[in-house]
């Protein structure tokens, strides 16, 4: 039986989005990790774990998914791996979690941590993401380069039609990725990914399609060529 009370902590568009997904293609769910403990400052280091509530929320979200999960990919950071494991448990499956460098920093966008890191600490996640989307940050891949790298990882992970692959990452990565695809750079707190909020993506006829907060979008992959 689903825990309806804890599911109220998901973004309200997330569960309804499941009914909008196509059945003729495989779909990727690219998601932020679940609820974590609060760090001592505003920056959550790699050692900040999920709360028990966060584990339960991920488990319940996995139970809600309306098609089989056939692959689990995650940032190597513990709270992301634990999110993937809890989703699998809720979905009633046993799969290994494959960690991937594209889903963590540095790796997907940050390429020179000594350069980008202090700037991130100075600005904070939201301001850093806004400047990154405007190509105003050094030590990082451009939003387009980073998105291309993630799209390649996502597309090669897909399996048979009617299934999910799950990719657990971090808020800064998900924000840079989805708002680049949406051609948005003037983002604010309302845009920021919730804990365990994700985007659904699929590929069809030379295009990538996505669903984010109930809104659909698409982009021809040849438009990603620099």
């Amino acid at each position: 039986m689903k825990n309806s009370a804890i599911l109220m902590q998901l973004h309200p568009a997330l569960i309804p989005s499941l009914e909008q997904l196509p059945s003729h293609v495989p779909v990727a769910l690219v998601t932020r990790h679940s609820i974590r403990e609060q760090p001592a400052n505003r920056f959550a280091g790699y050692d900040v774990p999920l709360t028990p509530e966060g584990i339960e929320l991920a488990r319940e979200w996995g139970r809600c998914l309306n098609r089989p999960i056939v692959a689990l990919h995650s940032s190597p950071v513990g709270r992301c791996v634990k999110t993937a494991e809890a989703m699998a448990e809720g979905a009633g499956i046993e799969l290994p979690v494959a960690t991937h460098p594209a889903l963590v920093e540095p790796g997907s966008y940050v390429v020179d941590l000594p350069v980008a890191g202090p700037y991130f600490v100075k600005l904070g996640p939201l301001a850093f993401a806004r400047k990154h989307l405007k190509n105003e940050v050094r030590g990082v891949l451009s939003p387009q380069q980073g998105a291309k790298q993630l799209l390649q990882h996502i597309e090669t992970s897909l399996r048979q039609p009617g299934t999910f692959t799950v990719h657990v990452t971090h808020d800064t990565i998900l924000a840079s990725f989805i708002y680049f695809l949406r051609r948005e750079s003037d983002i604010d707190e309302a845009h920021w990914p919730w804990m365990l909020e994700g985007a659904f993506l699929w590929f069809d006829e030379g295009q990538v399609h996505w669903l984010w907060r109930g809104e659909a979008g698409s982009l021809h992959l040849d438009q990603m060529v620099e």
Side-chain angles (χ1 to χ4, degrees):
M1 182 179 295
K2 294 177 184 176
N3 185 338
S4 299
I6 199 166
L7 287 171
M8 295 293 290
Q9 298 192 62
L10 293 176
H11 190 281
L14 201 54
I15 292 177
S17 292
L18 294 172
E19 300 304 322
Q20 296 179 248
L21 300 175
S23 59
H24 69 288
V25 290
V27 174
L29 169 57
V30 183
T31 180
R32 187 184 182 186
H33 57 73
S34 193
I35 302 168
R36 55 162 167 73
E37 292 183 3
Q38 289 300 316
N41 53 40
R42 60 178 174 164
F43 303 105
Y46 287 2
D47 59 339
V48 177
L50 296 184
T51 63
E53 183 180 39
I55 295 171
E56 179 63 17
L57 180 61
R59 189 179 293 125
E60 289 299 316
W61 175 219
R63 187 171 286 124
C64 289
L65 297 181
N66 59 354
R67 61 187 70 190
I69 298 174
V70 292
L72 296 165
H73 300 265
S74 173
S75 155
V77 174
R79 58 183 175 271
C80 293
V81 174
K82 190 63 180 178
T83 296
E85 291 174 345
M87 288 180 65
E89 183 181 346
I93 60 170
E94 292 185 10
L95 286 173
V97 178
T99 58
H100 198 283
L103 299 170
V104 70
E105 303 288 22
S108 54
Y109 287 96
V110 174
V111 292
D112 192 338
L113 193 58
V115 172
Y119 199 52
F120 180 86
V121 171
K122 177 182 177 181
L123 292 176
L126 176 59
F128 184 90
R130 292 179 71 180
K131 286 190 172 290
H132 179 232
L133 286 165
K134 295 175 182 177
N135 280 302
E136 296 176 356
V137 181
R138 293 184 300 116
V140 299
L141 295 177
S142 71
Q144 181 167 337
Q145 290 171 327
K148 283 176 64 176
Q149 181 171 283
L150 275 173
L151 286 172
Q152 288 169 357
H153 160 66
I154 292 165
E155 187 171 19
T156 57
S157 76
L158 294 173
R159 299 293 184 264
Q160 60 268 35
T163 62
F164 278 129
T165 58
V166 173
H167 308 257
V168 187
T169 186
H170 303 267
D171 51 359
T172 50
I173 294 173
L174 180 57
S176 291
F177 178 60
I178 195 63
Y179 291 118
F180 167 76
L181 292 181
R182 290 171 56 86
R183 296 295 190 260
E184 297 184 49
S185 59
D186 190 18
I187 61 174
D188 57 27
E189 288 286 354
H191 293 82
W192 204 246
W194 290 29
M195 300 287 189
L196 206 56
E197 185 176 10
F200 300 94
L201 293 100
W202 61 96
F203 298 80
D204 195 17
E205 298 183 349
Q207 297 185 78
V208 56
H209 307 273
W210 63 85
L211 196 61
W212 170 252
R213 296 187 172 176
E215 295 183 12
S218 61
L219 181 70
H220 282 278
L221 293 172
D222 58 14
Q223 293 179 252
M224 297 291 292
V225 178
E226 293 181 286

